[in-house]
Amino acid sequence: MLKNKDIEACMTIRLDDDLPLYPEFKPGIRRAPKRKASLSASDRELALRNALRYIPEQYHVEMAAEFLQELEEHGKIYGYRFRPQGKIYGKAIDEYKGKCIEGKAFQVMIDNNLDFDVALYPYELVTYGETGSVCQNWMQYRLIKKYLEELTNTQTLVLYSGHPVGLFHSPTTAPRVILTNGLMIGQYDNLENFNRAQALGVANYGQMTAGGWMYIGPQGIVHGTYNTLLNAGRRELGIPNDGNLAGHLFVSSGLGGMSGAQGKACMIAGGASIIAEVDYSRIETRNVQGWVSHISDSPRTAFRLAQEMMDRKEACAIAYHGNIVDLLEYAVDHEIKIDLLSDQTSCHEPYTGGYCPQGLSFAERTEMLSSDPEHFRDCVNQSLRKHYEAIKTLHDRGTYFFDYGNSFMKAVFDAGVTEISRNGSDDRDGFTFPSYVEDIMGPLLFDFGYGPFRWVCLSGKDEDLHATDAAAMSCIDPQRRYQDRDNYNWIRDAEKNKLVVGSKARILYSDAEGRMQIALKFNEMVRQGKIGPVMIGRDHHDTGGTDSPFRETSNIRDGSNIMADMAASVFAGNAARGMSLCTLHNGGGVGIGKAINGGYGCVLDGSRRIDEILVNAVAWDVMGGVARRAWARNENALSTVMEYNQKAEGRDQLTLPYLVDDQLIEDTLKK
């Protein structure tokens, strides 16, 4: 029979022999609600066995009792004892141990994701989106760090849902890390089975940039929201391409990790906004950051103040401490005009804390989640139905409502409002209100290849960030398209707008050509010693890489919106081309079973090797998505691919569809 001492003798990388002291928990830090999963007696046994796999045998008795207590109190095993003491944050790259630059760079990114100022529930390893986690537990965190310290430039670290499988020998041209999160077999790819798997310690919901180690705080979504609001104003309010939202009102809800961007984005776009939030700690955070300008717990006061600012054509972001349904019902009852309306609560997790129902305070929501989850579900469904009715009334009065990709409309449909479905029976054809991707981001940005390109200055120096801002600006021609002018203005004003939370990072919506130019420029600057190393990557909220019928690919209307070939292909192609980090995830902003997304990170170390990777990989990552959109007959994607094929003749060639006359189809079907 195998003995643990023999197994241990065959591992050079493992948790320390000494059991760490239980860490102190800083008061005032947000904590995750209890996670719910239906576990049998054998499941509880299995969860303990799985957690104890990480622990030296001499501590099994002590840790078994501790893990069982966590499972009963929190719904899963976090291994709190193994969290390092004190504050975790992304330090300068030179402060980390490592045998290659990528191993140290990834440690910067992981720790930034768990910064108290960045993460939603840092003690539960949740970065954003209610459940988006770096990894499953603190044993994994410690073990990942150990592996990254030992990683060389001839090895690849492989992770399955936060678990480090191990190091494998690989060429220098291969990725240094390949990871996946939550990839479930189709028959089991639903929330119930995922929650069970998560409680067993075998599944992680990475969102992408949480579990893919590329989160840069809420500024990532500030840019996307800024673009969305500006283009919504152009489309629906008649704002000229060189104008802004001055004198117009945007109303939404949520001020968390991602949704916290809404007020800030609206102010940058020149408009007035009211954002509802039930968790006052989130309001305080945004107020300290300067991302909201006023706070009110009265709908009357909030709307009055917004009107005063609109009359003066001044920008503002008002945080309404209360429920969004109360705010909207007040607007309905008092016939208040709202120009743009959305929602950015974590509705991909409506029944596990992502949506707070009308009539409950945040504290009451948290308590009911634990004590009576079935009643909580009923309250959520009732609130969603009332939420929908208020939106419908405002829409009928002239408000432009759009789903912001948080599965709000899917949640309303699941709450029993079948009339929100376009076909009246299921969600395959979408919903009566548009997704922001359908109307705005898809045709006006994604179809051209514009998406959330981002970078992190691994030195941690402000001067490096300033230098990259200037370099990125030099690569943008603001006269090329209005999208480029928007991006030029964005990066020009980035420092003034104080967007950095956590690591010295930036986001810039750029197309394939722009991303390539900027990345090569940065790598040249590293080579010349002008800046330290830089990590580049992107969000899942992009042109390519993500198959998500309720969000990123909601403007794909050839029936392939339910297919996930693109995400898998982009992931594999990025790996084949040598990106430093390649990731593939189930979920990503919309919940388990509703999306598959692939991402990457690339460490710019100044080498010619990286130049070659960028030339081969950046266009692939973007244009694979544009090609898929062109094949779906999206007009702007068609023109973008036609232009690309001409420029890349002899190098690349993307397939284009022949267009079919509508009358021909109609006549043929009549026969």
Side-chain angles (χ1 to χ4, degrees):
M1 179 179 289
L2 288 173
K3 298 184 181 298
N4 278 324
K5 65 178 182 180
D6 298 322
I7 293 172
E8 189 173 272
C10 295
M11 291 191 293
T12 56
I13 301 174
R14 60 181 189 271
L15 294 183
D16 294 339
D17 291 333
D18 297 328
L19 198 63
L21 296 174
Y22 205 87
E24 294 182 7
F25 289 79
K26 183 179 178 180
I29 301 299
R30 284 187 296 273
R31 303 297 300 276
K34 183 178 180 179
R35 303 305 184 189
K36 287 293 181 180
S38 298
L39 299 181
S40 65
S42 61
D43 285 341
R44 294 170 77 241
E45 176 187 329
L46 191 54
L48 287 177
R49 286 186 185 276
N50 288 346
L52 290 169
R53 288 186 288 192
Y54 295 98
I55 310 300
E57 185 180 11
Q58 62 264 38
Y59 303 116
H60 278 190
V61 173
E62 181 178 356
M63 293 312 304
E66 200 165 294
F67 286 159
L68 179 60
Q69 184 178 355
E70 288 186 14
L71 185 63
E72 291 175 342
E73 290 183 1
H74 301 282
K76 64 170 289 188
I77 296 168
Y78 292 104
Y80 289 118
R81 177 180 290 276
F82 294 89
R83 185 195 185 275
Q85 298 280 356
K87 179 177 172 62
I88 296 174
Y89 64 99
K91 300 183 287 290
I93 189 171
D94 292 340
E95 296 184 44
Y96 289 92
K97 299 177 185 175
K99 296 180 178 180
C100 68
I101 189 171
E102 292 91 346
K104 294 191 285 185
F106 298 142
Q107 293 181 67
V108 177
M109 304 303 293
I110 290 171
D111 285 352
N112 181 65
N113 275 9
L114 295 169
D115 190 328
F116 287 153
D117 294 332
V118 173
L120 176 60
Y121 303 128
Y123 287 121
E124 287 73 41
L125 297 124
V126 174
T127 301
Y128 70 98
E130 198 60 36
T131 52
S133 303
V134 171
C135 53
Q136 297 178 56
N137 56 59
W138 289 104
M139 296 84 77
Q140 289 181 347
Y141 170 87
R142 287 197 178 224
L143 201 52
I144 291 167
K145 293 297 270 313
K146 284 179 174 290
Y147 271 107
L148 289 173
E149 288 174 359
E150 295 299 321
L151 178 71
T152 72
N153 63 3
T154 57
Q155 292 174 317
T156 296
L157 173 63
V158 179
L159 295 101
Y160 298 165
S161 277
H163 168 67
V165 177
L167 295 174
F168 294 83
H169 184 268
S170 60
T172 56
T173 52
R176 300 280 71 83
V177 172
I178 289 180
L179 64 85
T180 57
N181 278 298
L183 299 182
M184 307 190 74
I185 301 299
Q187 182 176 343
Y188 302 96
D189 194 5
N190 55 63
L191 189 58
E192 181 183 358
N193 279 300
F194 176 82
N195 286 342
R196 175 180 176 268
Q198 181 177 243
L200 294 178
V202 297
N204 185 56
Y205 184 66
Q207 283 271 6
M208 194 192 91
T209 53
W213 312 339
M214 277 302 302
Y215 190 63
I216 60 168
Q219 78 157 305
I221 197 64
V222 175
H223 195 2
T225 309
Y226 160 81
N227 278 330
T228 300
L229 293 176
L230 270 182
N231 284 297
R234 290 161 179 160
R235 174 188 165 99
E236 300 296 326
L237 307 176
I239 293 170
N241 287 340
D242 60 351
N244 64 17
L245 291 178
H248 295 283
L249 177 62
F250 168 59
V251 174
S252 187
S253 58
L255 285 171
M258 300 294 279
S259 56
Q262 295 182 102
K264 182 69 171 179
C266 191
M267 282 197 291
I268 295 173
S273 62
I274 304 174
I275 313 299
E277 173 59 65
V278 293
D279 181 355
Y280 196 76
S281 72
R282 296 182 177 185
I283 293 176
E284 286 183 313
T285 298
R286 303 306 169 210
N287 189 45
V288 169
Q289 289 174 336
W291 286 26
V292 299
S293 49
H294 304 84
I295 301 171
S296 175
D297 60 4
S298 162
R300 179 177 177 275
T301 302
F303 280 115
R304 177 182 55 77
L305 180 58
Q307 189 60 55
E308 291 173 1
M309 301 298 283
M310 285 190 290
D311 291 342
R312 297 200 297 264
K313 298 290 195 294
E314 294 182 15
C316 70
I318 302 163
Y320 167 64
H321 183 217
N323 196 284
I324 181 63
V325 183
D326 293 333
L327 186 70
L328 296 186
E329 287 182 341
Y330 182 91
V332 169
D333 293 343
H334 293 80
E335 299 187 351
I336 294 172
K337 183 177 185 297
I338 297 173
D339 297 300
L340 304 175
L341 175 62
S342 191
D343 182 89
Q344 214 178 124
T345 54
S346 294
C347 268
H348 62 286
E349 296 283 358
Y351 307 120
T352 56
Y355 181 89
C356 182
Q358 185 185 32
L360 294 182
S361 68
F362 184 68
E364 291 168 337
R365 157 266 195 194
T366 305
E367 193 281 328
M368 190 182 289
L369 267 172
S370 178
S371 65
D372 196 350
E374 291 306 313
H375 185 210
F376 181 79
R377 174 183 286 267
D378 292 340
C379 290
V380 168
N381 287 340
Q382 182 180 354
S383 185
L384 282 168
R385 290 192 287 267
K386 293 182 72 175
H387 198 160
Y388 166 76
E389 289 298 331
I391 290 170
K392 187 171 180 295
T393 301
L394 291 165
H395 170 266
D396 292 343
R397 294 177 183 176
T399 295
Y400 175 67
F401 173 81
F402 57 94
D403 185 309
Y404 202 81
N406 61 339
S407 281
F408 173 77
M409 289 190 292
K410 178 67 165 74
V412 170
F413 177 81
D414 291 343
V417 185
T418 55
E419 68 177 91
I420 201 172
S421 164
R422 278 204 183 112
N423 61 27
S425 60
D426 57 48
D427 55 30
R428 284 187 295 183
D429 296 325
F431 303 102
T432 53
F433 296 122
S435 155
Y436 76 122
V437 172
E438 286 181 279
D439 272 12
I440 303 165
M441 299 295 279
L444 301 179
L445 290 164
F446 293 169
D447 286 355
F448 289 102
Y450 293 97
F453 177 66
R454 54 180 58 180
W455 65 89
V456 177
C457 296
L458 296 166
S459 68
K461 296 178 179 178
D462 284 323
E463 53 264 40
D464 280 10
L465 185 59
H466 299 158
T468 56
D469 283 349
M473 279 182 64
S474 73
C475 296
I476 302 171
D477 177 6
Q479 305 304 317
R480 179 183 174 222
R481 296 190 186 114
Y482 74 79
Q483 293 95 333
D484 295 293
R485 182 174 61 250
D486 289 347
N487 290 337
Y488 184 88
N489 293 341
W490 167 267
I491 203 73
R492 180 196 65 197
D493 297 337
E495 181 64 25
K496 178 184 70 176
N497 288 322
K498 297 183 171 59
L499 297 166
V500 171
V501 178
S503 57
K504 305 299 181 184
R506 193 71 77 214
I507 182 173
L508 175 65
Y509 268 66
S510 190
D511 65 354
E513 183 180 336
R515 299 186 210 197
M516 175 87 70
Q517 291 177 357
I518 292 168
L520 288 170
K521 180 77 170 178
F522 288 175
N523 199 46
E524 182 183 24
M525 292 166 70
V526 176
R527 187 160 50 243
Q528 295 171 343
K530 295 180 178 179
I531 57 173
V534 174
M535 173 79 82
I536 66 165
R538 58 164 171 77
D539 198 354
H540 55 81
H541 180 245
D542 199 7
T543 298
T546 299
D547 292 296
S548 178
F550 305 116
R551 189 153 94 173
E552 284 87 350
T553 49
S554 58
N555 70 322
I556 301 290
R557 298 188 178 93
D558 66 350
S560 70
N561 60 326
I562 62 172
M563 305 303 292
D565 298 298
M566 179 177 68
S569 177
V570 167
F571 164 74
N574 283 336
R577 289 160 175 79
M579 289 293 202
S580 310
L581 167 74
C582 296
T583 70
L584 191 66
H585 308 258
N586 185 350
V590 290
I592 290 295
K594 300 181 181 119
I596 298 291
N597 61 78
Y600 76 86
C602 188
V603 180
L604 309 186
D605 61 7
S607 67
R608 299 291 182 183
R609 176 182 66 88
I610 292 296
D611 283 346
E612 185 175 351
I613 290 171
L614 295 173
V615 168
N616 289 324
V618 172
W620 156 265
D621 187 78
V622 178
M623 292 308 299
V626 180
R628 191 264 182 95
R629 294 168 183 279
W631 190 242
R633 297 179 288 269
N634 292 7
E635 185 176 347
N636 289 334
L638 278 167
S639 61
T640 302
V641 169
M642 290 166 65
E643 182 182 349
Y644 183 81
N645 277 354
Q646 291 174 331
K647 286 184 176 179
E649 186 175 357
R651 174 183 170 90
D652 298 348
Q653 177 67 205
L654 308 181
T655 306
L656 287 161
Y658 292 106
L659 303 180
V660 182
D661 182 69
D662 292 342
Q663 190 63 50
L664 172 65
I665 298 295
E666 186 178 333
D667 292 345
T668 302
L669 292 172
K670 284 179 181 177
K671 294 179 180 179

